[in-house]
Amino acid sequence: MKELLEKILKDGTVLEEDVLKVDSFLTHQIDPELMSLVGKTFADKYRDKGITKIVTIESSGIAPAVFIGLELGVPVIFARKQKSLTMTTELLTASVYSFTKQTTNNISISTKFLTEQDKVLVVDDFLANGQAALGLIELCQQAGASIEAINIVIEKSFQNGRSLLEEKGYKVDSLARIKSLKNNKVHFVEDKN
């Protein structure tokens, strides 16, 4: 997606050879026009697939997920990292390790929102090592829901997340695939189309 690639080059900051900061438009402050384009781009690929739910993890996955859900006309569920007082029973739970934050979170979704009748798009802001996506997949499996694809806004292709998910049989669809962050510069995987 040309607009996303341009935004990454213009406003993204390489902090280390494996860390890209995009807090001005995705992970802290949200660019709603760009997220609307992200939502439309993903939705256009899955309009005829019978998607019933979008599943993401709080917090940076919520914005792109909401715009996809809006385009497809389906609810968005976000896995909570902190259990609230109102989430007391009938929970699907999984553990997710965050390499960026160096923490493990127990994520959860209420069983009343995700069932075996659901056909799901899993959405996240970044794909690096695949742990968040695997946690969301685990929640979907616990519910008996089927997964159409894993939708990623920005993929760090030099890390093993994509191969890990594809080896497990999941389709991974990313809008921006980063080949490397060497020399404080973003290098994209070349589009073969």
Side-chain angles (χ1 to χ4, degrees), residues 3 6 13 35 51 73 81 83 88 90 97 115 128 157 174:
E3 296 87 350
E6 289 171 356
T13 304
M35 287 307 106
I51 302 302
K81 292 180 183 173
K83 198 161 92 167
T88 56
E90 301 178 20
Y97 180 74
T115 70
S157 297
S174 303

Side-chain angles (χ1 to χ4, degrees), residues 9 26 34 37 40 42 50 85 95 99 106 111 120 122 128 133 136 139 141 146 152-154 160 172 183 186:
L9 291 174
L26 179 60
L34 181 63
L37 285 172
K40 183 171 179 6
F42 276 131
L85 293 175
S95 291
F99 287 89
N106 289 318
T111 57
V120 172
V122 170
L136 293 171
L139 296 179
Q141 289 172 335
S146 64
I152 303 296
V153 179
I154 301 171
N160 70 340
V172 178
N183 301 319
V186 177

Side-chain angles (χ1 to χ4, degrees), residues 136-169:
L136 293 171
I137 288 166
E138 185 177 334
L139 296 179
C140 292
Q141 289 172 335
Q142 289 174 28
S146 64
I147 298 170
E148 178 67 27
I150 314 297
N151 287 184
I152 303 296
V153 179
I154 301 171
E155 174 187 334
K156 293 192 275 184
S157 297
F158 55 89
Q159 292 180 294
N160 70 340
R162 175 181 282 268
S163 61
L164 182 69
L165 296 170
E166 288 179 340
E167 285 169 11
K168 294 182 177 288

Side-chain angles (χ1 to χ4, degrees), residues 10-84:
K10 180 179 176 268
D11 295 335
T13 304
V14 177
L15 298 180
E16 298 173 30
E17 286 196 356
D18 61 350
V19 179
L20 174 66
K21 185 176 180 179
V22 291
D23 63 344
S24 68
F25 62 91
L26 179 60
T27 61
H28 192 57
Q29 176 174 270
I30 306 298
D31 179 334
E33 289 181 10
L34 181 63
M35 287 307 106
S36 179
L37 285 172
V38 165
K40 183 171 179 6
T41 301
F42 276 131
D44 285 348
K45 296 179 182 190
Y46 297 99
R47 284 192 200 283
D48 62 346
K49 302 295 184 189
I51 302 302
T52 62
K53 300 274 172 68
I54 309 297
V55 174
T56 191
I57 191 168
E58 68 175 342
S59 61
S60 298
I62 295 173
V66 166
F67 280 98
I68 298 167
L70 183 64
E71 284 288 330
L72 293 177
V74 300
V76 175
I77 305 166
F78 65 90
R80 310 255 331 227
K81 292 180 183 173
Q82 304 270 328
K83 198 161 92 167
S84 75

